[in-house]
Amino acid sequence: MPAPTSDTEVTYPAGDVTSTGTVVHVEATGDDRWAVFLDRTAAHPVDTAWPDQPADRVTLTAGSTRWDDVELRVAGSQDGTVRIGDDLPVRTGTEGWVFAVAHVVAGDPPQVGERVTVDVDPAFRAALSVGHTACHLASLALDAVLEEHWSKPAPEDALGHPAFDSLAITRSSIGPYRSEDAYRIGKSLRKKGFDPAAFDDPDAVAARITEQLRAWVATGGAVRIDADGPGLSDRRRWTCELPEGVATIPCGGTHPTSLSDLVDPSVAIVVEDVPGARLVTMTTTLTPR
């Protein structure tokens, strides 16, 4: 059967937690499992380029048949060949490829042409969404707090502060009501003008970030995802209204619609000195609603 010929239309950027789509392709993945491709889905998979946010938890339903424990992967096809998950050799959006959401199920799959309903676990989605927005806010607050520790001009973040986060980050992970970001301050960052002594008192830095986060959350600013189009590979941007202005950050994840959905944000910072570098881990947590 033919591989997908167009990107999956994704509705999760608008906050959808349910959708109905038509099966356009089914591909065997081994171990009696099948990758089901729909023309439209509300399911958020793990992004291939920056896998910080976990995939949604979803179920599929077609008629009286239901599939639980569905695994979500990003797939790409070129010249009729489908590559799924870790086998995909290119980043989402690479020219000449079609990108789709693979809903991997066990047992007999639905057939091409069938209508399938996708239901996302709304509580898990909400917990990840607020964690993701908290991650972006914490990065902006971190940049603002560290501004005084730059001795040279540096690239700026979405609010016009030196972009420590994007220059130093090595890893980011989103979880329910939390995020964790790891940074490395090495020779190259010092040459750019950043002083590692900024983290001599990590608790003080964390307290200032927490204070800024809570001030922003108290405004209840609007949050949205702006997208260039409905396809999986179309560019999307997290956009948040803050007192300092509208902040925009490229992002493929999910988010709430208001900062008021974030409850009691708090930041902790751990610093480790290793030969030639200072490693910083920032953890942001929220109180579950």
Side-chain angles (χ1 to χ4, degrees):
M1 59 187 70
T5 57
S6 61
D7 278 14
T8 305
E9 178 186 346
V10 291
T11 64
Y12 60 80
D16 288 357
V17 291
T18 187
S19 63
T20 300
T22 301
V23 179
V24 296
H25 181 67
V26 179
E27 180 102 359
T29 65
D31 299 328
D32 195 32
R33 298 208 299 169
W34 300 83
V36 179
F37 296 89
L38 308 174
D39 62 348
R40 183 174 184 268
T41 185
H44 172 265
V46 176
D47 187 83
T48 56
W50 194 248
D52 53 350
Q53 181 175 332
D56 283 331
R57 296 172 180 168
V58 306
T59 60
L60 304 185
T61 306
S64 60
T65 305
R66 176 186 172 104
W67 293 266
D68 297 306
D69 300 322
V70 178
E71 182 180 351
L72 300 171
R73 303 180 191 173
V74 171
S77 64
Q78 185 184 52
D79 300 328
T81 300
V82 178
R83 307 286 288 274
I84 301 173
D86 293 339
D87 291 334
L88 183 60
V90 296
R91 288 191 171 198
T92 305
T94 300
E95 187 174 353
W97 287 73
V98 169
F99 294 92
V101 178
H103 309 73
V104 181
V105 302
D108 295 333
Q111 300 302 302
V112 171
E114 278 195 84
R115 296 285 284 171
V116 174
T117 297
V118 178
D119 288 304
V120 176
D121 181 334
F124 186 64
R125 162 75 71 78
L128 292 177
S129 295
V130 294
H132 206 150
T133 284
C135 180
H136 287 331
L137 281 184
S139 73
L140 293 171
L142 174 66
D143 287 349
V145 167
L146 297 179
E147 183 172 26
E148 63 198 61
H149 297 282
W150 290 86
S151 61
K152 299 178 182 178
E156 296 181 346
D157 68 10
L159 292 179
H161 301 294
F164 172 86
D165 175 82
S166 63
L167 292 170
I169 196 163
T170 60
R171 176 180 55 82
S172 182
S173 61
I174 310 297
Y177 301 106
R178 72 185 307 276
S179 66
E180 183 176 284
D181 297 281
Y183 304 95
R184 185 181 188 277
I185 305 168
K187 182 178 179 180
S188 63
L189 199 62
R190 295 195 300 271
K191 289 180 67 174
K192 288 182 172 69
F194 183 75
D195 182 3
F199 288 101
D200 283 352
D201 187 348
D203 290 343
V205 176
R208 291 179 63 188
I209 296 171
T210 297
E211 181 181 12
Q212 180 62 82
L213 284 180
R214 293 182 176 178
W216 281 338
V217 166
T219 68
V223 180
R224 68 179 186 273
I225 295 296
D226 293 324
D228 290 348
L232 178 62
S233 65
D234 286 318
R235 293 181 181 273
R236 293 180 288 279
R237 296 164 297 281
W238 174 83
T239 302
C240 181
E241 296 180 6
L242 297 171
E244 294 84 350
V246 177
T248 300
I249 296 174
C251 182
T254 66
H255 294 274
T257 58
S258 171
L259 293 182
S260 61
D261 289 336
L262 281 62
V263 179
D264 297 330
S266 181
V267 166
I269 292 177
V270 175
V271 176
E272 178 186 3
D273 290 317
V274 299
R278 172 164 273 191
L279 308 180
V280 177
T281 303
M282 178 174 69
T283 302
T284 305
T285 57
L286 301 164
T287 299
R289 295 181 67 91

